[in-house]
Amino acid sequence: MKVTINDVAKYAGVSIKTVSRVTNNEPSVKQATVDKVNEAIKALNYQPNLAARNLAGTKSYAIGFIYDNPNAYYIIDMQNGILAACKDKGYELVIHPCNAKSETICDELTALVKYSRLAGLVLTPPLSEDPKVLKALTEIDANYVRIIAGEKGNDQNGLTILVNDKFGAVEITQHLIDLGHKHIAFLSGDLHHESTKERLLGFKQALTINGLKLNENYIIEGKYSFESGVDGANKLIKLKHRPTAIVACNDEIAAGALFAARLAGLDIPVDISIVGFEDSPFSRQTWPKLTTVHQPNAEIAQVATELLIAKRREQDAIYSKTFTPEPIIRDSSAIPKQ
């Protein structure tokens, strides 16, 4: 027969309420009691029914992951990070992909919070950067943590994970400049993402610091996709004076650019250097492997979820944290061809 919470309470010699408090990781239980209950749980191989607990209790134990992003690797990393925190803290994960540009997005998310009884939301760009979405969630007292690009947060909610994309872009562009490149292009991601703006700012800042002139023909607007990288690189390759290096806004774009360059008969990195951003599996699946900027998305998501749960339990917690991406030098960048 299936082991119940009653069995655990009887085995440990405590009340059912105490077992519930331990399985919910509530902070006010004595360590000796926690150890006793955990020993009973292990001995009986008890598996708490989180779905039933959600329905029966006054508190919710489900975290919502809300996203609109075409990059499957990014989504998987985020999901794994949130899951790690949820499992550790006794929560479930509800995944909700959506269209951030939808006219009904605010109604959609507020309905999700109400009818799914979510304890909180992990918001990723561009939803985490949309004032209308944040206002709608705040009006219904929804708990949420934002993952955003930038160096400073300005959110009254207080829970913010900052990713210093600009610094990462400065560093990866500086790497190319240090190799001797003076004619460097930039393949953009979606412009409604703050990460795109921050990475472009970093790219331009590196040029300015080194006294290099910005060539507007080398700035190509695009999407966060392989196809966008192919299209953008083809435009650059056809220029009379093509760049000697390309900074792509993410690894998927960089992989597309590398593909287009090889089809055009160019040798990477002899004829043109190509670098990416995020250090996704794309960066290790291309040939040559991509020089990129490491961004620990799974860790970012896990920390975001831990902050969200800590605040909900009214525990002392850090309400913001900054991650600084760093360059990973591989084989797709080299000294420019003379």
Side-chain angles (χ1 to χ4, degrees), residues 97-135:
C98 58
N99 179 4
K101 296 179 182 178
S102 169
E103 294 181 358
T104 60
I105 186 62
C106 292
D107 293 335
E108 178 183 339
L109 295 185
T110 53
L112 175 70
V113 173
K114 291 177 181 178
Y115 298 117
S116 297
R117 298 188 67 243
L118 297 179
L121 302 172
V122 178
L123 299 176
T124 56
L127 294 156
S128 59
E129 302 158 348
D130 188 333
K132 299 190 299 296
V133 167
L134 302 178
K135 182 175 183 291

Side-chain angles (χ1 to χ4, degrees), residues 267-313:
D267 187 318
I268 297 89
V270 175
D271 296 316
I272 189 168
S273 289
I274 299 174
V275 302
F277 210 106
E278 290 179 11
D279 194 23
S280 75
F282 265 106
S283 66
R284 299 179 292 279
Q285 293 167 351
T286 61
W287 182 259
K289 293 179 180 179
L290 285 169
T291 291
T292 185
V293 179
H294 176 64
Q295 183 172 300
N297 288 325
E299 182 184 354
I300 288 169
Q302 182 171 349
V303 171
T305 308
E306 290 170 348
L307 293 187
L308 185 63
I309 294 172
K311 184 191 176 188
R312 182 170 182 267
R313 291 176 173 170

Side-chain angles (χ1 to χ4, degrees), residues 93-240:
L93 171 61
V94 175
I95 300 173
H96 187 80
C98 58
N99 179 4
K101 296 179 182 178
S102 169
E103 294 181 358
T104 60
I105 186 62
C106 292
D107 293 335
E108 178 183 339
L109 295 185
T110 53
L112 175 70
V113 173
K114 291 177 181 178
Y115 298 117
S116 297
R117 298 188 67 243
L118 297 179
L121 302 172
V122 178
L123 299 176
T124 56
L127 294 156
S128 59
E129 302 158 348
D130 188 333
K132 299 190 299 296
V133 167
L134 302 178
K135 182 175 183 291
L137 292 175
T138 300
E139 286 176 350
I140 64 168
D141 293 323
N143 295 310
Y144 61 83
V145 57
R146 302 168 64 205
I147 299 174
I148 60 175
E151 299 173 80
K152 295 180 180 179
N154 56 356
D155 187 13
Q156 292 181 351
N157 177 271
L159 293 184
T160 308
I161 299 295
L162 297 163
V163 183
N164 196 343
D165 289 274
K166 185 172 77 171
F167 178 85
V170 169
E171 291 292 291
I172 199 67
T173 307
Q174 187 64 51
H175 162 67
L176 293 172
I177 294 171
D178 289 343
L179 288 172
H181 292 278
K182 296 181 180 179
H183 308 288
I184 308 171
F186 185 87
L187 295 182
S188 152
D190 305 71
L191 289 177
H192 65 286
H193 283 258
E194 284 299 317
S195 58
T196 301
K197 299 173 186 177
E198 289 291 312
R199 293 170 193 182
L200 180 55
L201 277 173
F203 169 77
K204 291 179 177 179
Q205 183 174 314
L207 296 183
T208 300
I209 290 171
N210 290 274
L212 298 179
K213 185 178 179 181
L214 175 68
N215 185 336
E216 293 293 345
N217 292 327
Y218 286 174
I219 309 295
I220 308 294
E221 294 184 14
K223 303 286 185 183
Y224 280 113
S225 69
F226 181 90
E227 292 75 17
S228 181
V230 173
D231 294 340
N234 280 331
K235 291 175 182 178
L236 294 171
I237 290 168
K238 292 175 182 177
L239 292 175
K240 183 177 180 181

